[in-house]
Amino acid sequence: MKEKIVLVTGANKGIGFGIAKHLGKDGWQVIIGARDEQRAEKAIGELKLVGANVLGWVNIELRDLASLEQAAKEVNEKYPTLSLLVNNAGIPGDMSVDSLHTELNDIKETLDVNFVGTFALTKALMPLLIKNQGRIVNVTVPSEISPYWHPLAYVASKAAQNAMMGVMAIELQQNNTPLEVFSVHPGPTTTDLNGNMALPGFHDIETVGKKMAELINDGQNHQGEFIELYPIVKED
């Protein structure tokens, strides 16, 4: 049976932890992408306690392009059969302000991490993923603006990520390159990113992680798709 190895970025907490947990219990060997060794090791211990198969962790700092090159080099050397990259890590930007009061440095930092960093890591790992006929899954939000939730820096950074996915998918298809890329919107989820917001219509990390793992393991080709697990709906 073919070895199944996945790198999940931002997997030491939140949605990334939930994805890592359920993939690790459903036949995948998981590499944790994290910025902090202590938090990564804590997550690894918790994941192993619930029966998830975890290989180790790799330092992923999306704002540091040099470190991403080093991370890709480490993955290539240690895990040459990697066949799945889940781009989950990101920062929220300042979600408390409207566009008029959004600072330019907040826009730049959020784009640098969520788009530029994600692209850099993806680009660095693509040759290995192509070689292994793998997949890239981006955890994102819709590019269409919701009237109920629209923090500018975050939504703009994810719209750029969605454009990246769409362009890559078309080019991969046109060139018959054996790599699949698609995006998933988990929907409103209670995490640190939104200050553990828990309004009607929100789901927990366990629910979202399980559903994400089921989607990844469904055996279907989702090339170029934007899949919503739980759409954003109006608050009652």
Side-chain angles (χ1 to χ4, degrees):
M1 186 176 172
K2 185 182 173 185
E3 193 174 47
K4 298 199 299 185
I5 297 180
V6 55
L7 169 61
V8 183
T9 67
N12 59 289
K13 65 177 182 177
I15 290 172
F17 182 88
I19 295 168
K21 174 183 173 181
H22 286 283
L23 287 177
K25 292 174 73 174
D26 291 340
W28 288 87
Q29 298 179 68
V30 179
I31 309 160
I32 302 296
R35 292 187 293 170
D36 180 89
E37 182 176 7
Q38 193 173 0
R39 290 197 291 265
E41 293 294 352
K42 180 175 181 288
I44 289 170
E46 291 170 355
L47 289 167
K48 286 184 173 177
L49 273 177
V50 296
N53 189 342
V54 186
L55 293 174
W57 81 286
V58 174
N59 184 267
I60 301 291
E61 176 53 84
L62 291 176
R63 72 188 77 226
D64 183 347
L65 299 183
S67 85
L68 295 178
E69 288 292 335
Q70 179 56 40
K73 184 171 181 286
E74 183 180 343
V75 170
N76 271 271
E77 290 170 358
K78 287 187 181 176
Y79 312 107
T81 58
L82 180 83
S83 62
L84 176 60
L85 168 64
V86 179
N87 284 317
N88 165 76
I91 60 172
D94 187 350
M95 292 188 171
S96 69
V97 294
D98 63 12
S99 55
L100 179 63
H101 298 95
T102 298
E103 298 288 343
L104 282 175
N105 64 344
D106 186 45
I107 294 280
K108 185 176 186 306
E109 182 185 26
T110 309
L111 281 166
D112 279 347
V113 172
N114 293 359
F115 173 57
V116 177
T118 297
F119 172 71
L121 178 64
T122 302
K123 184 174 186 289
L125 288 173
M126 276 179 79
L128 180 62
L129 291 164
I130 290 167
K131 182 180 136 189
N132 294 327
Q133 300 183 25
R135 287 179 291 168
I136 298 163
V137 181
N138 299 319
V139 179
T140 181
V141 301
S143 297
E144 297 77 21
I145 308 305
S146 163
Y148 314 116
W149 183 84
H150 41 253
L152 179 59
Y154 186 76
V155 172
S157 71
K158 290 298 187 175
Q161 206 179 91
N162 293 341
M164 174 188 83
M165 183 279 293
V167 170
M168 283 181 174
I170 286 173
E171 291 173 344
L172 291 167
Q173 284 180 303
Q174 288 174 339
N175 298 319
N176 293 314
T177 305
L179 179 63
E180 180 187 340
V181 55
F182 64 98
S183 294
V184 181
H185 172 218
T189 309
T190 302
T191 69
D192 286 357
L193 185 133
N194 53 34
N196 292 305
M197 193 180 289
L199 297 169
F202 274 62
H203 295 85
D204 58 25
I205 289 161
E206 178 71 13
T207 302
V208 168
K210 188 171 189 296
K211 195 153 184 176
M212 280 283 293
E214 288 170 355
L215 174 64
I216 287 167
N217 287 327
D218 70 4
Q220 305 298 309
N221 186 304
H222 296 291
Q223 183 74 284
E225 292 182 11
F226 180 92
I227 299 164
E228 290 200 87
L229 298 186
Y230 299 105
I232 297 170
V233 295
K234 184 178 181 182
E235 299 164 18
D236 293 326

